[in-house]
Amino acid sequence: MEHSLKTQIRNGIDELTKISKQEGKNLSISNNSKTIFIGKAFESIILDTNIAYIFQKELDFIVRYRNTLPITVLDLIYACKGIRNLLLQLNKFQKHKCYNHDVINYAAILEQELSISLSYINSKKKQTFITHLPFCALCYKRTFRSYFYCENHSSNQNRDHYKKAKSRLFNTAKQRIDDEEILEKIKSFESSKLKNTKTAYFLYTLTAVISPVYKKPIYTTTELLDLIKAHYPLTSNILNFAYLYKQRDIIQLAFSIVEQLDKDESVMWKHKNADLWINHASFPELSSTVINFISRYEATLIIANTKPKFGPNKGTGEKRSLRESITALAQQQLQQTGKINQSEIARSLNLSRQRINVIIKTLHLDR
């Protein structure tokens, strides 16, 4: 059933994409004469009747459609007042525990394919090289309707939560990290108002630096739990290891760990793309996924427990002195040769050329 739904939706989108190219019109989320409405891809896709009745009961339909059973996916889109509203409702629906796996998985497939369909809007501007992050750039949760963020941290849907989470992450990093290059990058991103791909990747990496992922071969569930206890103390204080050590199946152990830490997130693990995420993963792949999740959960706890620090950061005097030295050497080179030799400055100060490059860009000496 789910496979058929996925195939029908993708075929519908492919067909509509061909029509848009033939007519020279962009696909759009709205219905107007200058574009082609993306919803037309779903007008012939018939919903499973039993699930349609469940959707009619559980989803928030607009008044006009409340007494009408949706027959097609397009009917469902109209009943929920658009694709984006439907996506939000499908995500919440998947957290229901009163429906079986087939129903939840049907909703998950529908949500996934509708989300993919939105990427075809204004396809001329689409960046096909963007990599979908496995976890939210700012926490441990699965990404939702975004390549980079969960529902709570979406820079478009929850701008205040996004800004606060980013600020707390930067505050924690500045107190715990001594790497000059990373600190210079933080300063650069703090001054930037852009919410672009580069920012998301940096936030994702920075969260991982707060609590590193320990990579080692893991062959048993006991080894996995031992590693968690040894390297992630804040998370370990929450987990019930007496229960977890009794689990011998890696899939059940993964579900149990996530459920103990975040019940809502465990529902997502069980039902959203479970075949790709869990069921068909090998033991090393799934154990690696669990460690990544635990690492990011630990980082979230560390960030939450780190108090904001005001005033100059540790080592400010030394950093100022270093910048002054680099500035003096760079200006001297400009006067003598008309250009900056970063390799020579690096050798003079016994630093890496990469670090010199970051500081020179920060000081705008390369302009």
Side-chain angles (χ1 to χ4, degrees):
M1 179 169 62
E2 293 85 358
H3 178 72
S4 175
L5 176 65
K6 182 185 294 186
T7 301
Q8 289 181 68
I9 291 177
R10 295 195 177 183
N11 288 342
I13 292 172
D14 288 343
E15 186 63 31
L16 196 64
T17 301
K18 292 177 182 177
I19 294 173
S20 73
K21 289 180 179 179
Q22 291 171 358
E23 297 185 7
K25 294 181 179 180
N26 286 332
L27 298 178
S28 169
I29 200 167
S30 59
N31 203 347
N32 61 67
S33 59
K34 295 182 179 180
T35 60
I36 297 177
F37 177 42
I38 188 71
K40 288 186 177 180
F42 314 115
E43 61 185 353
S44 62
I45 300 173
I46 308 299
L47 290 167
D48 178 270
T49 304
N50 292 330
I51 294 179
Y53 277 110
I54 293 173
F55 285 162
Q56 184 184 30
K57 175 184 175 183
E58 299 292 350
L59 302 186
D60 185 18
F61 285 9
I62 59 177
V63 175
R64 180 182 172 185
Y65 290 91
R66 283 178 186 168
N67 297 320
T68 304
L69 183 71
I71 304 300
T72 67
V73 174
L74 181 58
D75 292 339
L76 190 62
I77 291 171
Y78 284 140
C80 292
K81 204 176 179 180
I83 294 178
R84 290 197 171 101
N85 285 330
L86 175 56
L87 286 169
L88 286 171
Q89 293 198 52
L90 287 173
N91 177 258
K92 292 178 181 177
F93 174 81
Q94 289 170 61
K95 297 175 183 177
H96 272 285
K97 297 183 179 179
C98 54
Y99 292 108
N100 63 38
H101 171 77
D102 288 340
V103 174
I104 298 297
N105 204 40
Y106 189 96
I109 294 294
L110 185 56
E111 181 205 355
Q112 178 189 21
E113 296 306 313
L114 286 172
S115 296
I116 291 172
S117 74
L118 292 181
S119 68
Y120 285 81
I121 294 173
N122 294 328
S123 58
K124 290 181 179 178
K125 298 179 181 179
K126 183 184 173 187
Q127 292 177 297
T128 55
F129 58 87
I130 293 177
T131 301
H132 195 145
L133 293 177
F135 296 100
C136 171
L138 287 163
C139 71
Y140 59 87
K141 293 184 178 182
R142 299 275 300 278
T143 52
F144 170 70
R145 290 185 60 205
S146 166
Y147 284 104
F148 314 120
Y149 303 104
C150 66
E151 185 176 9
N152 291 340
H153 293 133
S154 169
S155 57
N156 294 323
Q157 301 295 324
N158 290 299
R159 187 177 179 183
D160 287 342
H161 287 178
Y162 166 81
K163 290 173 67 176
K164 289 177 182 177
K166 186 172 75 167
S167 177
R168 287 195 293 264
L169 171 59
F170 286 164
N171 169 67
T172 303
K174 284 187 284 189
Q175 294 187 49
R176 298 177 64 91
I177 297 173
D178 294 325
D179 189 310
E180 179 75 25
E181 184 178 345
I182 293 178
L183 294 174
E184 292 293 342
K185 285 184 179 180
I186 290 175
K187 186 174 292 186
S188 174
F189 280 105
E190 278 183 319
S191 62
S192 172
K193 295 182 179 180
L194 295 175
K195 300 187 292 289
N196 55 18
T197 304
K198 188 179 292 186
T199 301
Y201 290 152
F202 178 67
L203 295 175
Y204 183 86
T205 303
L206 191 59
T207 303
V209 173
I210 299 296
S211 176
V213 177
Y214 286 86
K215 297 180 180 179
K216 58 171 289 187
I218 298 175
Y219 302 102
T220 67
T221 55
T222 299
E223 289 180 16
L224 176 61
L225 293 170
D226 287 346
L227 189 147
I228 293 172
K229 287 182 71 175
H231 297 291
Y232 305 102
L234 297 179
T235 306
S236 295
N237 289 337
I238 301 173
L239 292 172
N240 180 356
F241 282 99
Y243 172 78
L244 295 175
Y245 272 114
K246 296 177 183 178
Q247 303 287 335
R248 290 291 177 264
D249 180 76
I250 182 61
I251 294 179
Q252 291 305 314
L253 177 60
F255 288 152
S256 296
I257 289 173
V258 179
E259 186 171 9
Q260 287 188 19
L261 297 174
D262 187 327
K263 289 186 178 180
D264 286 341
E265 190 64 14
S266 72
V267 175
M268 297 291 283
W269 274 53
K270 290 178 182 178
H271 299 302
K272 185 175 181 180
N273 307 334
D275 284 343
L276 175 65
W277 191 254
I278 299 291
N279 298 336
H280 293 161
S282 64
F283 190 103
E285 289 171 339
L286 186 48
S287 61
S288 176
T289 299
V290 172
I291 289 297
N292 271 278
F293 168 79
I294 291 291
S295 168
R296 299 189 71 79
Y297 192 91
E298 182 83 4
T300 303
L301 294 178
I302 292 171
I303 292 167
N305 291 331
T306 303
K307 295 181 180 180
K309 182 180 178 183
F310 304 98
N313 295 323
K314 181 180 178 182
T316 298
E318 291 88 338
K319 293 172 188 174
R320 185 183 297 115
S321 177
L322 176 60
R323 292 190 183 97
E324 289 173 352
S325 298
I326 292 173
T327 300
L329 289 170
Q331 290 176 345
Q332 184 180 15
Q333 289 179 347
L334 287 171
Q335 291 175 358
Q336 293 176 351
T337 65
K339 61 181 180 180
I340 298 174
N341 187 327
Q342 295 183 13
S343 297
E344 186 176 323
I345 295 175
R347 286 193 293 272
S348 300
L349 298 175
N350 196 26
L351 296 172
S352 69
R353 186 187 179 283
Q354 187 177 21
R355 186 173 175 186
I356 296 297
N357 178 263
V358 170
I359 297 174
I360 284 177
K361 285 185 177 180
T362 302
L363 296 173
H364 305 297
L365 297 173
D366 55 338
R367 294 182 178 178

